[in-house]
Every structure is written in structure tokens, then in C-alpha cells.
Amino acid sequence: MRFAVVKDELDMMLRHPDVVDRPDLPILFVANKIAAPDACGASIMAGALKLHEQIEQDRPWRLASTDAVATPDQPVDDGLADAMEWLTELVKLTRRR
């Protein structure tokens, strides 16, 4: 995993005027292939990217784990559907404001 590259991109995004000026805009992180043998868990990802320190406390964000490939031992884990529903609801709320 290239956490340093992702962290640099996240830092740049969080400094962008369109994001800085809109603390109500939610951010969704999607961790795909979570069932891969070399995958790390969501808490490790959040720690490596310093999400709890980087993102302002009043900004809604979520880290969704998903794996779109089913195996005999592991059914499809579609955490993405729940995450997109979360994001959709928050975007609707920000539009009403």
C-alpha cells in the first residue's frame, strides 16, 4: 500500500479552497480488496493516513471497507452500498442548507 502517496493527495485535497471553505462537505474513503491476504484493516489505514488528526472534527467522514470479489470462503462484502447511502444522505442535507 502506498500510504505516503495517498496521504500527500489527501493533504493537498484538504487544503483546496473548495474543501476548506466547505467544512460541511463529507469525505468518503473506500478501502477496496479488504479480504486480500496482504490487506490491512480500516483502523491501520486510518492511522497511517492520520485521518483522526487530519480531518476537522466537525467534518463528516467515513472509511468504508469493501471487497467486490467473492470466494468460496468469503461472500461479496459490499460495504460500498452502505457507504454510498451514507454519502448520499449527507450530500442531500448539505444541499438543503
Side-chain angles (χ1 to χ4, degrees), residues 1 4 10-11 22 24 51 55-56 58 61 66 73 76 78-79 83:
M1 177 94 17
L10 175 61
D11 292 344
R22 293 290 311 274
D24 59 328
L51 296 180
I55 301 175
E56 299 167 25
D58 57 340
W61 66 275
T66 185
D73 300 337
V76 170
D78 192 13

Side-chain angles (χ1 to χ4, degrees), residues 43-61:
S43 62
I44 292 172
M45 284 183 213
L49 298 175
K50 300 185 182 201
L51 296 180
H52 295 284
E53 296 99 34
Q54 284 280 97
I55 301 175
E56 299 167 25
Q57 290 183 349
D58 57 340
R59 180 181 300 278
W61 66 275

